[in-house]
Amino acid sequence: MNGQVLAHEAAPGAGPSVLFAHAFPFDRRMWNRQMAALREVGARGVAADLRGFGGSADMPRITRIDDHADDLARLLDHLEIDRTLLVGVSMGGYVALSFARRHAGRLQGLLLADTKATPDTAEARGMRDANIQKAKAHGAIAIFEGMLPKAFSPSTGDEVKNELRSIAASQTADGVMAALQAMRDREDSTSQLARIAVPTLVVVGEDDLITPPSDAQAMARSIPNATLQSIARAGHLSNVEQPEQFTKMLLSML
Ligand code: MLT
């Protein structure tokens, strides 16, 4: 692994640090509302573009979730942040669970949103392979359009969908393909949940069909110091679909 640092936005606050890991196939812009809220309370928000996405698209390719976790640790080193609250939604949650395993000492707390600890089933792995081919042929936007039927709550309006569509459309096929491979091959994190020692908030959109509330309940039951909160009228991308509710939950952790 080389020593390059992820593209990121870091608020200059002196307060507690909050590091954000985004969902697939987006980038750090999906945290804009939460970053603005943290700025208001003087917290030090850091929103990273995971490797292959946004401003980190040109970094050498990696295809393991663990490598994304190590990238985040390197970013904390770069920013001279010792410990942080790590917030991950969906793929960002997979990265956060890997980070908790590999860099436990850097954590102050965890917020796991619309994610799960279990690995891909054989069927899901097959879908990843099909999506890798789809991204190769039709680009990142085709992957987003494929997610549409399941990604959002029926209550979510076109404005939010279009905002995320435009973020997805700006990603490279290469970055998306590498992430699909990393998610397909990710480890089972279930046995590790019992070892998470920091306060953890598990958040799920009530209408999340991709990582449904049952996944969130299972994680919250297995993490010793966890609470579970669900968000009404939100699907799989709850921090963008219901930013006020999500941000309130986040601020309650600081
Ligand atoms: C995400 O939102 O990050 C993805 O839907 C996660 C996944 O495909 O497993």
Side-chain angles (χ1 to χ4, degrees), residues 23-24 90-91 94 128 147 183 210 236:
F24 168 89
S90 196
M91 176 180 74
Y94 306 154
R128 301 285 191 204
M147 286 171 70
M183 290 192 288
I210 296 179
H236 184 61

Side-chain angles (χ1 to χ4, degrees), residues 66 69 72 86 93-107 109-110 112 189 192-193 195-198 200 223:
D66 287 350
L72 290 181
L86 178 56
Y94 306 154
V95 175
L97 286 170
S98 167
F99 188 98
R101 190 173 64 244
R102 297 167 72 81
H103 305 283
R106 310 295 297 267
L107 279 180
L110 266 180
L112 300 169
S189 294
Q192 170 225 333
L193 297 177
R195 289 196 291 276
I196 295 178
V198 291
T200 301
I223 299 173

Side-chain angles (χ1 to χ4, degrees), residues 21-24 50 64-69 72 86-102 110-120 124 128 179-180 182-187 189 192 210-211 215 219 236:
H22 60 81
F24 168 89
L50 295 177
R64 290 185 337 144
I65 291 290
D66 287 350
D67 293 331
H68 288 297
L72 290 181
L86 178 56
V87 181
V89 64
S90 196
M91 176 180 74
Y94 306 154
V95 175
L97 286 170
S98 167
F99 188 98
R101 190 173 64 244
R102 297 167 72 81
L110 266 180
L111 194 162
L112 300 169
D114 302 296
T115 193
K116 60 183 174 189
T118 49
D120 273 11
R128 301 285 191 204
L180 285 163
M183 290 192 288
R184 180 195 66 194
D185 299 339
R186 75 185 186 279
E187 279 185 36
S189 294
Q192 170 225 333
I210 296 179
T211 45
D215 286 332
M219 274 195 304
H236 184 61

